Amino acid sequence: MSRRQPEAIHKGHACGGEDNNDEDSQQRYDATLNNLGQSIMRTFYDEISQIAGNVVTVKARAIGYDELAVITTNQGSSLAQVIRLEDDQVSLQIFAGTEGVSTGDKIRFLGHSFKVPFDDALLGRVFDGSGRPRDGRPEVKAEAVEIGSPAVNPVKRRVPEKMIHTRIPMIDIFNTLVGSQKLPIFSVAGEPYNDVLARVGMQADAEIIILGGMGLRHDDYLTFRHRFDEAGVLGRTIMFIHTAADPVVECLLIPDQALAVGEQYALQGKNVLVLLTDMTAFSDALKEIAITMEQVPSNRGYPGDLYTQLARRYEKAVDFDGAGSMTVLACVTMPGDDVTHPVPDNTGYITEGQLYLRNGRIEPFGSLSRLKQLVNGETRDDHRAIMNACIQLYAQCEESREKREMGFELSDWDTRLLKYGDLFEEKIMDLNLNIELFDALDKCWEILAECFDPEETGIRDAIIEKHWPHETHQTKPEPQAETVQA
Amino acid sequence: MIGRIKAVFGNMVVAQTEDRVVKNAVGYCVRNDGIKLLCEVIRVRGDSVDLQIFEETRGLRVGDQVEFQEDMLSVVLGPGLLGQIYDGLQNPLPKLAEQVGFFLEPGNYIHALDTERLWDWTPKVQAGTVVEAGDTLGSVPESIFEHNVMVPFGWEGQYTVRTVAESGSYPIGKEIATLTDSSGNERTVTMEQVWPVKRPLCVAKRRLLPSKPLVTSIRIVDSMFPIVRGGTYCIPGPFGAGKTVLQQITSRHAQVDIVIITACGERAGEVVDTIREFPELQDPRTGKSLMERTIIICNTSAMPVAARDASVYTGMTLAEYYRQIGLNVLLLADSTSRWAQAMREISGRLEEIPGEEAFPAYLESRIANFYERAGAIELRDKRIASATIGGTVSPAGGNFDEPVTQATLKVVGAFHGLSRSRSDARRYPAIDPLDSWSKYVGIIDPKKVQKVHNTLRRGDEIRQMMTVVGEEGTPIEDFAVMLKAEFFDSAYLQQNAFDDVDAATSVDRQRFVFDKILEVLEADFVFKDKNEARHTLRKISSMFINWNYARWDESVVPESDRQDEPMNKAAHKDDEATERGDFKEILGQIDQYVQSLLKNADKSQAKDKLEQATA
Ligand SMILES: Nc1ncnc2c1ncn2[C@@H]1O[C@H](COP(=O)(O)OP(=O)(O)OP(=O)(O)O)[C@@H](O)[C@H]1O
Ligand SMILES: [Mg+2]
């Protein structure tokens, strides 16, 4: 932003190419902020008494809690938000950070809290944590909505009932994503979590896709953009992106902006999919601010209200009674592959299940979609049977693999389980698969038939009769499967 | 009493006033757009007053006006509470939705009871009767209950009834009696009264030691770790272990008059499930909709934090109120950790000295005081009533060694600890049978319970040993004990919450099946080898599991020994009877199979003896 080192801007420019963070847009942005400020209130305040962390304290009167302000320094302007009022001392969180802020700088209050413009003109656009375009195109002029709306009245919510097809068998068959669900992907750093997210974004049948990137590597952002473009969904996508190079505070407003826009579309009757990555970066930003504010940390430095802060965002996932819905899929990287780390732990207590991403796969055992039973009875009669049988057999295969590793003798049953496990991993668990649910179910049947007799699967006779492939060894036309490039 | 805002920080406001203020009294912060936000005085220092705001503080300014009231945060008590869905401050959510729409906009407060609905009043006293606080003046029918209208609980001393309304249909605001105190002052009584939520409500002749089992119809609870009417219990467990599902099935099947569900800082979706399902579900004991015996208090995680703290107290006060009426009430709070976290947030803002994990030093006493409000009591007219509390705990990282779990364990009468390993293995309900405990006596003779407990413990020891010495190194007798423990676990402790029949097991049935299980556990089977042992116990297990799905046939218990309350038979769906086995038939198969095994055992023992003798 404003006071970012010029070198950094140039670097971003050089490697990004599309990320148009040049002087031009900065000036335009400053002008907009100034207009905004002047139209509402001409007075500015410059009696800054304290600058610490990302927080500036200034003497001012009649300022509302949570209100937005613009701070102008000799290097540019930044948004700021009121986080504490005490007599005439107003503490503000400066989005661009306080580096280079001087005690003589001017602060102008805007008379309202943070707002995002809401309009179809947002589609296909990219914004940063302060709501400023990062695609080099002009500001969106439209009526703005406040972020952080109140909670939805529970009696205005519907029980979710619509499956979201992602064309990833490990999700569709085993951990079905349901419209209005909030589901995190718990991942070790280095796993292709953003790839999974992008895949779901491209393949899910959502009318509006909103991507909220926090602490994203610039390359990852460009990859998202590129892939959405290629898949032809960019036209119904809105991105709010904070990269690792941007000021930490800007990260905090990413989920709120994404969810506020998503909520408006949902109220208009649209089915919205919000993708958030990485919520651990968001939580770390919360931690940083809390420490600056000298709050007593509760667990590993995180503030005591981490649960509340996360829940307020995730709970925005909703199926409105009489309007549309919003589904939230979020990435949570687990520091040290530790689920008991405060961020994944608090998340697990909030979300409706979780997907574990390990060794490039969605882990079949710990992963759980708590809402799946609301929809998987209605897809195809063999869905639940396949779901249970395949996982149970895979669990047995793991036992056989242990036996093999210990050097024990393997029975015929073990050998067949081992064969099954390999086939299952290759044809179903592979994250690059891109197939319809029914085709995926058919594939499961084929694998079962290749390895087992019907009775050995533990599936009810009625289902077996209907679905067991008759001639297993005959080459059948492959179901339409395409493999996505990783 | 007026003050001015001096500081705002999160949901805390500091106000300055010259007027008198009452600690824990409520007040309103008036935003400059005229919206009034409810708040509570939580600390007074000189002329500065710390307030916690029950709404978002966005938009409040230094200098805004604060209106202080005399009353503490209170709830309205009277007929019409049953079937309601309230937020933590007792605003009826359906009405809020009608008036305000999708969102819970701050500053909207609605009277908790329907003031227009008419109730059929029957007086129970006459002019001249001398009464005290809590005494019944008359009653109105509410759902299947007789809802007593009582002398307001806060009135001290004795009163003489001067007038009492005749039988008729009246709204709750109607004056139904006038009373005179000893100095001749007259006071009027309506069908509603208010009570401050943080003050325990208990007008009783005496408190009783809770001892009557509260039947939940969940086998592992009733048989192994029972709870009692007027007792307390907690359910700690890591995320996803099944705390909420356990409370949901308890709220459906528990044999009490009234269930109050307090969703405290948890998911809105879970409340929606209950809101949508309960009106459709039939209470088999009354034939009426389950909603008619339920009150839902819901302060979900996205709602303001201070109201989360209020919600558990609101729920508790309603529970105590129905106890005063003479009923047995069960309060389910999910999750008490969120309430504790709310305390932590507020304490942090007050800059109090933090204790462990930044929880306030008074965490333990608050938790203790809350659970202390449960209890069985004898009312002044000798009737017995109770309020039971069951709270879930969500420990950070699933580790029970943390302040909230530890503080709760000190005060409750039963502990149902959920374990990650059991829920991962889909052994539901995931209550750990080795860690959990109960100080109460339930429906099964404690001596019998002790026996199966020993088997479970022994089985676990053997299993652990086996990981070291292998199956080969384990004597067959030990191996059989381990299999028996496993049999008990899968055939009795595990229960399918989603099957019509298996979801709820009645008292008579639990006793009957438990005895049958004991027969198997105590039988001296003799097995040729481990494979045979494994095969046999698996077979017995699967027979018992099938049995669990068969409908109960009460005729297996002599009439004089039956204890189950009569159930509403119409609730049965006969169409599925074909898929289910017949209770008596399966019983016959089990008996026959076990007998045949014992006969073989006798034979082989006889043979052994013979061999020994000949050798
Ligand atoms: N008795 C049960 N029978 C079958 N499935 C169950 C049972 N209990 C829990 N589950 C499964 O586990 C999931 C999580 O259960 P539940 O919501 O009760 O967990 P929880 O302990 O309340 O978690 P949290 O702390 O995150 O709220 C359920 O969605 C369901 O799939
Ligand atoms: Mg829960």
Side-chain angles (χ1 to χ4, degrees):
Chain A
M1 278 218 45
S2 50
R3 278 173 310 288
R4 191 183 297 148
Q5 304 290 318
E7 288 83 358
I9 293 172
H10 287 305
K11 256 188 234 153
H13 191 80
C15 70
E18 304 172 47
D19 199 15
N20 218 338
N21 255 345
D22 56 14
E23 298 298 318
D24 235 29
S25 76
Q26 175 66 56
Q27 272 163 19
R28 220 174 17 236
Y29 180 67
D30 288 352
T32 330
L33 286 186
N34 284 334
N35 287 342
L36 259 171
Q38 272 154 17
S39 59
I40 295 154
M41 209 180 292
R42 284 185 182 281
T43 40
F44 57 79
Y45 300 87
D46 59 0
E47 286 178 61
I48 292 180
S49 58
Q50 189 179 318
I51 309 171
N54 292 306
V55 179
V56 162
T57 307
V58 67
K59 189 171 166 186
R61 290 216 164 268
I63 305 304
Y65 186 74
D66 211 30
E67 195 172 315
L68 215 56
V70 179
I71 178 166
T72 311
T73 69
N74 57 7
Q75 293 168 52
S77 311
S78 165
L79 284 176
Q81 188 176 18
V82 175
I83 53 171
R84 182 171 203 140
L85 296 171
E86 202 162 357
D87 291 323
D88 56 0
Q89 297 295 304
V90 179
S91 298
L92 297 142
Q93 182 167 288
I94 311 294
F95 292 170
T98 50
E99 237 166 86
V101 174
S102 82
T103 47
D105 287 342
K106 297 185 173 66
I107 294 173
R108 214 183 307 272
F109 290 90
L110 303 186
H112 60 76
S113 53
F114 196 99
K115 289 183 174 183
V116 275
F118 172 67
D119 191 276
D120 278 347
L122 292 177
L123 294 172
R125 299 291 309 273
V126 188
F127 303 90
D128 70 9
S130 301
R132 156 194 174 201
R134 72 180 305 152
D135 50 7
R137 290 162 61 191
E139 296 266 324
V140 172
K141 297 240 176 327
E143 198 145 331
V145 290
E146 279 196 348
I147 60 165
S149 58
V152 173
N153 188 329
V155 304
K156 291 296 247 179
R157 286 175 180 259
R158 243 192 329 232
V159 179
E161 53 173 20
K162 195 175 152 276
M163 168 174 172
I164 295 187
H165 292 263
T166 66
R167 299 173 60 94
I168 299 173
M170 280 313 284
I171 298 181
D172 288 354
I173 301 183
F174 301 99
N175 299 292
T176 320
L177 181 64
V178 183
S180 88
Q181 186 166 21
K182 38 190 179 291
L183 196 67
I185 300 174
F186 288 165
S187 169
V188 187
E191 293 288 335
Y193 52 91
N194 281 333
D195 191 58
V196 176
L197 220 54
R199 289 272 314 281
V200 174
M202 294 182 315
Q203 288 161 201
D205 36 5
E207 291 163 282
I208 303 286
I209 302 153
I210 302 179
L211 174 70
M214 290 149 280
L216 218 55
R217 289 189 321 148
H218 204 271
D219 298 355
D220 286 334
Y221 152 54
L222 292 178
T223 312
F224 268 117
R225 221 173 119 158
H226 182 66
R227 293 188 59 184
F228 282 180
D229 195 10
E230 246 182 7
V233 299
L234 207 52
R236 50 190 169 96
T237 303
I238 306 166
M239 297 193 203
F240 295 92
I241 303 292
H242 165 266
T243 68
D246 299 334
V248 174
V249 189
E250 287 199 352
C251 176
L252 288 177
L253 288 172
I254 295 285
D256 287 337
Q257 293 187 75
L259 294 163
V261 170
E263 187 167 79
Q264 291 302 317
Y265 272 113
L267 284 169
Q268 285 192 352
K270 295 273 194 318
N271 293 315
V272 183
L273 174 66
V274 177
L275 308 171
L276 299 173
T277 175
D278 162 4
M279 286 300 276
T280 305
F282 169 77
S283 310
D284 287 343
L286 281 176
K287 174 163 94 173
E288 207 175 309
I289 299 299
I291 289 173
T292 321
M293 295 299 290
E294 292 173 359
Q295 285 180 29
V296 185
S298 70
N299 204 339
R300 295 199 226 181
Y302 289 90
D305 65 351
L306 180 64
Y307 174 86
T308 309
Q309 294 290 356
L310 291 173
R312 290 195 51 177
R313 273 116 194 153
Y314 283 114
E315 280 280 311
K316 290 262 163 234
V318 64
D319 195 344
F320 284 115
D321 191 5
S325 71
M326 178 152 69
T327 311
V328 178
L329 194 64
C331 277
V332 177
T333 48
M334 293 187 290
D337 196 9
D338 176 12
V339 223
T340 67
H341 180 278
V343 179
D345 186 47
N346 276 291
T347 307
Y349 277 120
I350 294 163
T351 53
E352 291 151 336
Q354 66 282 326
L355 302 174
Y356 285 95
L357 198 58
R358 265 206 198 104
N359 304 324
R361 296 196 188 110
I362 292 174
E363 174 88 20
F365 303 121
S367 302
L368 171 73
S369 157
R370 293 199 198 175
L371 302 187
K372 66 180 176 214
Q373 67 277 6
L374 294 175
V375 297
N376 63 11
E378 314 288 317
T379 47
R380 208 167 87 176
D381 57 354
D382 56 332
H383 187 162
R384 285 185 180 166
I386 283 286
M387 174 181 88
N388 292 328
C390 284
I391 294 294
Q392 272 161 18
L393 289 165
Y394 189 68
Q396 291 186 41
C397 160
E398 294 278 273
E399 282 171 25
S400 302
R401 283 179 176 170
E402 260 170 46
K403 264 185 165 176
R404 184 174 60 184
E405 259 155 49
M406 310 267 285
F408 287 135
E409 203 178 307
L410 298 175
S411 64
D412 166 56
W413 176 239
D414 287 323
T415 339
R416 285 190 293 145
L417 282 170
L418 290 172
K419 177 177 170 195
Y420 162 78
D422 293 342
L423 281 172
F424 186 70
E425 283 172 2
E426 180 195 332
K427 299 199 166 174
I428 300 294
M429 280 173 68
D430 186 348
L431 267 184
N432 294 319
L433 286 169
N434 178 6
I435 46 178
E436 285 293 337
L437 171 69
F438 289 180
D439 293 337
L441 289 172
D442 290 343
K443 264 212 159 124
C444 289
W445 283 112
E446 271 170 43
I447 298 171
L448 291 177
E450 212 173 316
C451 306
F452 306 111
D453 290 336
E455 350 26 287
E456 288 171 337
T457 61
I459 299 177
R460 269 188 298 139
D461 291 350
I463 301 281
I464 291 274
E465 250 162 56
K466 211 162 143 196
H467 295 278
W468 192 261
H470 289 296
E471 283 136 283
T472 39
H473 296 295
Q474 203 179 9
T475 40
K476 282 203 279 185
E478 278 284 299
Q480 287 187 337
E482 6 167 335
T483 303
V484 185
Q485 311 228 319
Chain B
M1 296 181 293
I2 298 290
R4 295 269 161 206
I5 292 182
K6 218 168 63 167
V8 187
F9 176 38
N11 67 344
M12 227 194 77
V13 161
V14 183
Q16 197 160 24
T17 181
E18 324 254 88
D19 295 348
R20 195 175 80 91
V21 283
V22 185
K23 181 164 175 278
N24 292 109
V26 292
Y28 293 96
C29 292
V30 188
R31 228 163 54 181
N32 76 334
D33 58 0
I35 300 280
K36 292 182 172 186
L37 307 180
L38 188 69
C39 58
E40 179 187 9
V41 175
I42 49 175
R43 190 166 64 184
V44 183
R45 286 178 301 181
D47 60 356
S48 95
V49 182
D50 295 336
L51 304 164
Q52 65 167 334
I53 316 294
F54 294 113
E55 307 271 10
E56 293 307 317
T57 44
R58 177 182 281 185
L60 283 179
R61 299 169 170 211
V62 169
D64 282 351
Q65 184 167 305
V66 182
E67 304 171 0
F68 294 104
Q69 316 274 310
E70 286 280 338
D71 312 316
M72 300 208 268
L73 184 69
S74 302
V75 286
V76 177
L77 304 170
L81 292 165
L82 294 183
Q84 292 274 14
I85 303 155
Y86 290 123
D87 73 3
L89 303 171
Q90 214 198 4
N91 290 296
L93 288 171
K95 271 202 191 146
L96 267 183
E98 262 170 46
Q99 293 182 11
V100 197
F102 285 120
F103 296 97
L104 295 169
E105 304 285 353
N108 292 291
Y109 309 108
I110 297 181
H111 193 81
L113 293 174
D114 186 341
T115 48
E116 270 155 39
R117 182 167 165 191
L118 299 180
W119 297 91
D120 290 329
W121 161 258
T122 313
K124 294 260 178 77
V125 290
Q126 294 140 3
T129 315
V130 176
V131 290
E132 276 180 31
D135 284 354
T136 301
L137 297 171
S139 73
V140 299
E142 179 185 19
S143 179
I144 57 158
F145 309 107
E146 204 177 311
H147 187 121
N148 294 338
V149 176
M150 295 164 274
V151 178
F153 306 116
W155 291 13
E156 279 170 28
Q158 291 195 327
Y159 295 82
T160 312
V161 177
R162 202 177 67 84
T163 62
V164 62
E166 286 172 19
S167 300
S169 286
Y170 308 121
I172 50 168
K174 153 95 180 167
E175 260 185 46
I176 46 100
T178 51
L179 311 181
T180 38
D181 67 12
S182 49
S183 358
N185 302 317
E186 198 167 289
R187 300 178 88 169
T188 59
V189 181
T190 65
M191 286 187 223
E192 62 177 320
Q193 54 173 312
V194 292
W195 187 263
V197 293
K198 293 202 175 150
R199 182 177 299 164
L201 167 52
C202 180
V203 183
K205 200 156 139 201
R206 59 193 175 112
R207 280 185 73 139
L208 305 170
L209 189 68
S211 61
K212 196 168 186 316
L214 189 161
V215 177
T216 61
S217 309
I218 301 166
R219 291 190 289 264
I220 186 169
V221 173
D222 296 340
S223 299
M224 302 291 292
F225 310 107
I227 52 177
V228 291
R229 290 180 172 179
T232 53
Y233 70 106
C234 69
I235 311 174
F239 67 76
K243 300 179 290 296
T244 305
V245 172
L246 199 55
Q247 285 211 331
Q248 281 171 343
I249 47 183
T250 306
S251 67
R252 286 183 191 191
H253 303 296
Q255 297 187 11
V256 289
D257 299 313
I258 287 167
V259 178
I260 297 176
I261 301 172
T262 310
C264 170
E266 290 287 306
R267 303 168 186 82
E270 292 165 350
V271 184
V272 178
D273 282 350
T274 310
I275 297 175
R276 302 274 181 242
E277 276 177 13
F278 269 33
E280 313 290 318
L281 291 174
Q282 201 187 43
D283 180 355
R285 296 160 64 234
T286 62
K288 295 210 168 192
S289 129
L290 263 184
M291 204 61 206
E292 288 191 31
R293 70 158 202 178
T294 311
I295 304 173
I296 299 173
I297 313 284
C298 115
N299 185 272
T300 61
S301 53
M303 297 187 194
V305 173
R308 200 192 284 169
D309 175 53
S311 67
V312 290
Y313 292 109
T314 298
M316 190 63 228
T317 311
L318 299 187
E320 288 166 332
Y321 176 63
Y322 278 97
R323 177 174 68 181
Q324 285 309 138
I325 289 177
L327 300 174
N328 293 301
V329 190
L330 171 63
L331 174 78
L332 297 170
D334 185 16
S335 149
T336 60
S337 291
R338 306 302 162 219
W339 163 54
Q341 286 178 342
M343 281 190 248
R344 176 167 72 185
E345 283 183 38
I346 294 154
S347 160
R349 299 233 158 80
L350 289 171
E351 292 173 358
E352 292 169 339
I353 298 167
E356 215 183 321
E357 289 185 22
F359 283 106
Y362 46 78
L363 176 77
E364 280 202 9
S365 62
R366 288 277 171 91
I367 290 177
N369 289 344
F370 172 67
Y371 281 102
E372 212 26 53
R373 290 175 71 167
I377 58 173
E378 187 182 328
L379 296 166
R380 279 172 31 85
D381 60 8
K382 297 222 169 82
R383 283 175 309 144
I384 307 242
S386 68
T388 311
I389 304 180
T392 67
V393 187
S394 317
N399 180 0
F400 293 171
D401 197 8
E402 55 89 52
V404 184
T405 316
Q406 290 305 317
T408 308
L409 285 180
K410 278 188 197 163
V411 294
V412 292
F415 159 58
H416 302 159
L418 305 190
S419 82
R420 169 66 75 220
S421 62
R422 279 184 80 82
S423 72
D424 275 352
R426 305 280 187 268
R427 290 169 179 248
Y428 294 120
I431 298 174
D432 193 309
L434 295 173
D435 284 348
S436 302
W437 47 257
S438 168
K439 296 177 182 165
Y440 305 120
V441 175
I443 56 169
I444 307 273
D445 177 358
K447 280 195 217 94
K448 292 183 187 169
V449 175
Q450 194 53 49
K451 279 185 193 162
V452 294
H453 221 267
N454 293 343
T455 309
L456 285 174
R457 204 164 284 286
R458 187 84 190 97
D460 186 59
E461 284 164 14
I462 297 164
R463 188 177 311 110
Q464 283 180 22
M465 189 79 84
M466 228 164 75
T467 57
V468 184
V469 298
E471 207 176 293
E472 304 80 38
T474 309
I476 189 152
E477 294 76 22
D478 281 0
F479 192 72
V481 172
M482 191 202 73
L483 289 174
K484 281 178 174 173
E486 175 55 35
F487 149 72
F488 178 65
D489 189 343
S490 58
Y492 196 80
L493 298 184
Q494 293 171 43
Q495 194 168 353
N496 184 345
F498 302 113
D499 180 80
D500 259 9
V501 172
D502 197 29
T505 310
S506 73
V507 174
D508 289 345
R509 181 169 184 163
Q510 288 191 43
R511 289 190 172 140
F512 188 82
V513 175
F514 198 91
D515 282 345
K516 205 39 66 189
I517 294 241
L518 262 185
E519 266 179 42
V520 175
L521 295 184
E522 293 186 328
D524 280 321
F525 298 132
V526 175
F527 301 116
K528 266 206 313 286
D529 54 27
K530 287 177 183 140
N531 264 338
E532 191 193 58
R534 188 184 284 124
H535 174 81
T536 309
L537 276 144
R538 270 203 192 150
K539 178 154 181 195
I540 300 180
S541 277
S542 81
M543 287 170 115
F544 270 81
I545 292 169
N546 266 330
W547 205 26
N548 287 339
Y549 288 105
R551 278 194 197 286
W552 170 235
D553 185 339
E554 58 183 10
S555 67
V556 297
V557 179
E559 209 158 335
S560 52
D561 293 349
R562 286 183 209 160
Q563 289 211 346
D564 285 350
E565 299 176 27
M567 290 288 165
N568 197 316
K569 291 250 167 58
H572 286 190
K573 288 191 227 111
D574 277 342
D575 50 349
E576 15 154 86
T578 42
E579 289 220 5
R580 299 186 186 277
D582 177 77
F583 190 86
K584 274 192 171 158
E585 219 172 281
I586 301 175
L587 173 62
Q589 288 162 8
I590 292 174
D591 280 340
Q592 199 182 5
Y593 186 61
V594 172
Q595 286 314 317
S596 73
L597 289 172
L598 288 175
K599 245 182 241 147
N600 287 345
D602 284 346
K603 257 188 232 153
S604 72
Q605 267 167 1
K607 207 171 110 199
D608 281 354
K609 273 195 200 125
L610 201 71
E611 273 168 15
Q612 275 165 12
T614 46

